[in-house]
Amino acid sequence: MSICRNVGILPRLTKQCIRLASVQPTRSYADMAFTFASPASVFYNKANVKQIDVPSFSGSFGILPNHVPLIAVLKPGVITVHEQDGQNKRYFVSSGSVTVNDDSTVQILAEEACTVDQLDAQAVRDGATKAAQDLLSASSEVAKAEAQIAMECYEALQKAVDSH
Amino acid sequence: MALFGKVVVTLPQSCGTSSQWRHMATLKAISMRLKAVKNIQKITKSMKMVSAAKYAKAERELRLARPYGVGAQSFYQRAEITQDEKKPNHLIVAMTSDRGLCGSVHSNIVRAIKAALPLKPPGTNVKLIAIGDKARGILGRLYKNDMLMHFVDIGKRPPVFQDAGNVALEILKCPFEFDVGEMYYNVFRSVVAYRTTVMPINTMQTITEGGKVSLYDSVDEEVLRSYREFSLASLIFFAMKESACSEQSQRMTAMDSATKNAGEMIDKLTLKYNRQRQAVITNELVEIISGAAALK
């Protein structure tokens, strides 16, 4: 008789246990949804990474989960993404914007981005010399500013290629 | 004589009297029509294949551009930036293209704009910017004085970020100081479905006054301005990609149904032509026989 009673309780117990166990774990405290995209390609879409190092005009900084919300403008340079499994991936970006929202989502939108090993050292050197010539021969303010921007970009490219 | 009773002349409804001369003219007219419809079917079939190829490419690029566009919009959503409709100066941007024969994508945009204008509070000063010849044509006729600028050469090649950058630059440079900005574009949902949506174009003031913007760290005027300019270009790029994909898919559908309709018309016309041809032959026979009978 007692066996029957225990057997009768069993299904109800298991049902309660299943209900408790099936409560979906919400995003834990230390997660971030990281989106890194350029107009032509997507590198990360709502991915969960450990840290992102970002070069910006207001200084280089690293973004960890639950960073204070901020917006910043990207400087030409290298973004380092520290992934969950310990790998570090480096990408060169030309310009763009960084947004950290209050729900720990991070969006990095780059106008042009590529992995550092896609950079061609010779092409970078040629481009840098040409930009220097443009700067010298620039006549109007706008042309001078454009050449200056190109120079800074090529310097950053050179640094990225050299440190690879 | 007995032959008469057995002959049944089937005259088409369009032909009034049964004169042979009238039949010959109708026969030629039908055959000309048949040739024209066959040519049209060939053209629409090739247009359908071309736009199917362009649609496949556009859809691929849109899939890559979607995280970019959604990411660009997320700041405005999370910071709960809303526009105050009661402010007087409004700017409306219509995102269409230069080429037609694509179903109702362009007319839906214009219709949405036309429907939204009377709903604005009285006293608002509304100006329009048209991207693409189609919007310029229709809106230019209706609101000639309110058209600020228009962009052409949209639709032939797939949009690139440079195009969006140019459009954004012109919008930011234009002397009209708008308080509320809206962009009407088509969001691509599936091959048969798209939705006309409005995207807000926020001004510096709207952003700085925005709901949760104070939460954001290290935000100064310089950074905010650069950020807003870049995100405007990104949002326009996203809208261009979505609109292009919707347009190609609708053109493919439209050309497909045009080809099918042309096929049906060809079938019906062929039957009509054959019936007419047989009627002409029958009439010739009748005349010959009756002539022969009269001679007897």
Side-chain angles (χ1 to χ4, degrees):
Chain A
M1 249 80 50
S2 65
I3 299 176
C4 291
R5 201 161 16 112
N6 285 342
V7 167
I9 296 174
L10 197 56
R12 198 154 33 103
L13 275 177
T14 48
K15 221 187 297 183
Q16 282 177 346
C17 286
I18 289 172
R19 209 176 327 130
L20 281 173
S22 68
V23 169
Q24 289 290 4
T26 50
R27 223 178 58 216
S28 77
Y29 189 64
D31 270 10
M32 78 157 89
F34 173 47
T35 304
F36 173 31
S38 75
S41 45
V42 177
F43 298 103
Y44 294 89
N45 189 9
K46 295 198 173 60
N48 188 9
V49 299
K50 277 198 298 200
Q51 183 183 336
I52 313 148
D53 301 325
V54 172
S56 87
F57 277 111
S58 23
S60 303
F61 49 87
I63 303 176
L64 287 122
N66 284 325
H67 195 282
V68 159
L70 74 82
I71 58 176
V73 179
L74 283 178
K75 206 165 61 161
V78 175
I79 287 183
T80 313
V81 180
H82 304 270
E83 292 183 352
Q84 285 289 1
D85 52 4
Q87 269 193 357
N88 285 5
K89 292 230 177 82
R90 303 170 72 225
Y91 301 90
F92 184 82
V93 292
S94 66
S95 53
S97 66
V98 187
T99 314
V100 182
N101 298 114
D102 53 355
D103 59 352
S104 200
T105 53
V106 181
Q107 287 91 21
I108 298 189
L109 306 171
E111 186 164 346
E112 305 229 0
C114 66
T115 52
V116 173
D117 42 10
Q118 284 176 321
L119 296 174
D120 177 11
Q122 187 56 40
V124 171
R125 273 194 287 273
D126 295 339
T129 39
K130 184 172 173 304
Q133 284 171 346
D134 285 341
L135 184 57
L136 290 174
S137 62
S139 47
S140 66
E141 279 297 319
V142 173
K144 222 179 285 207
E146 286 180 4
Q148 188 72 36
I149 294 171
M151 273 302 308
E152 288 173 9
C153 196
Y154 278 110
E155 278 168 15
L157 273 167
Q158 191 70 49
K159 227 192 308 185
V161 168
D162 289 337
S163 65
H164 186 239
Chain B
M1 274 66 66
L3 231 51
F4 270 52
K6 290 219 178 70
V7 165
V8 176
V9 176
T10 53
L11 291 174
Q13 292 292 73
S14 57
C15 183
T17 62
S18 54
S19 74
Q20 188 185 9
W21 182 83
R22 189 77 81 85
H23 284 181
M24 291 299 259
T26 325
L27 197 64
K28 198 150 174 228
I30 296 179
S31 80
M32 279 188 344
R33 191 132 185 251
L34 198 55
K35 215 185 307 179
V37 178
K38 277 196 182 142
N39 275 340
I40 288 181
Q41 191 193 38
K42 263 190 242 161
I43 293 175
T44 55
K45 197 164 176 206
S46 65
M47 277 187 80
K48 171 187 150 199
M49 289 200 282
V50 164
S51 67
K54 287 198 178 160
Y55 159 70
K57 182 166 181 226
E59 209 249 327
R60 244 191 333 231
E61 291 181 359
L62 179 64
R63 218 172 323 132
L64 292 176
R66 264 218 172 127
Y68 187 78
V70 168
Q73 286 176 323
S74 74
F75 165 66
Y76 298 102
Q77 287 163 350
R78 293 302 312 182
E80 290 173 11
I81 293 178
T82 50
Q83 301 193 349
D84 187 6
E85 293 281 319
K86 297 193 226 15
K87 296 221 181 113
N89 293 324
H90 288 221
L91 177 74
I92 294 185
V93 180
M95 172 84 65
T96 60
S97 88
D98 286 351
R99 306 164 113 195
L101 291 179
C102 46
S104 52
V105 283
H106 304 315
S107 49
N108 269 349
I109 299 259
V110 176
R111 210 178 311 150
I113 295 180
K114 269 205 313 206
L117 282 180
L119 295 176
K120 294 203 182 277
T124 44
N125 179 16
V126 180
K127 296 281 179 204
L128 302 167
I129 292 184
I131 303 180
D133 260 338
K134 287 283 160 190
R136 173 171 75 128
I138 309 177
L139 290 174
R141 245 181 303 129
L142 296 168
Y143 308 105
K144 212 185 321 190
N145 305 327
D146 294 334
M147 184 76 68
L148 279 180
M149 62 177 92
H150 65 267
F151 297 87
V152 293
D153 229 8
I154 314 272
K156 274 201 211 92
R157 282 158 296 123
V160 286
F161 194 76
Q162 189 69 28
D163 303 334
N166 292 339
V167 173
L169 198 61
E170 293 299 323
I171 291 183
L172 293 166
K173 272 200 318 204
C174 88
F176 177 61
E177 296 282 340
F178 61 96
D179 305 311
V180 174
E182 293 168 327
M183 171 153 63
Y184 285 77
Y185 68 109
N186 290 314
V187 168
F188 173 76
R189 281 170 59 200
S190 79
V191 181
V192 294
Y194 64 93
R195 188 176 44 204
T196 312
T197 350
V198 186
M199 190 199 291
I201 298 181
N202 296 297
T203 58
M204 284 295 291
Q205 201 173 356
T206 325
I207 299 180
T208 41
E209 286 174 5
K212 287 200 199 164
V213 175
S214 47
L215 282 181
Y216 286 76
D217 193 25
S218 78
V219 168
D220 59 7
E221 166 103 24
E222 204 39 60
V223 168
L224 205 53
R225 201 207 319 260
S226 309
Y227 186 84
R228 178 203 169 217
E229 288 175 4
F230 184 73
S231 80
L232 183 63
S234 308
L235 291 172
I236 292 181
F237 171 75
F238 179 55
M240 278 184 171
K241 279 283 184 222
E242 291 265 4
S243 293
C245 196
S246 314
E247 180 193 330
Q248 292 297 348
S249 74
Q250 287 300 304
R251 183 169 295 129
M252 189 173 71
T253 320
M255 290 296 106
D256 184 34
S257 53
T259 314
K260 252 186 241 147
N261 285 346
E264 281 175 15
M265 274 180 87
I266 288 176
D267 290 339
K268 269 198 232 133
L269 277 177
T270 313
L271 281 175
K272 199 168 168 193
Y273 178 80
N274 283 332
R275 239 182 280 136
Q276 191 69 333
R277 192 177 46 86
Q278 289 166 353
V280 166
I281 292 173
T282 310
N283 273 343
E284 285 189 28
L285 279 174
V286 162
E287 290 185 10
I288 295 170
I289 306 274
S290 61
L295 282 175
K296 261 206 277 225

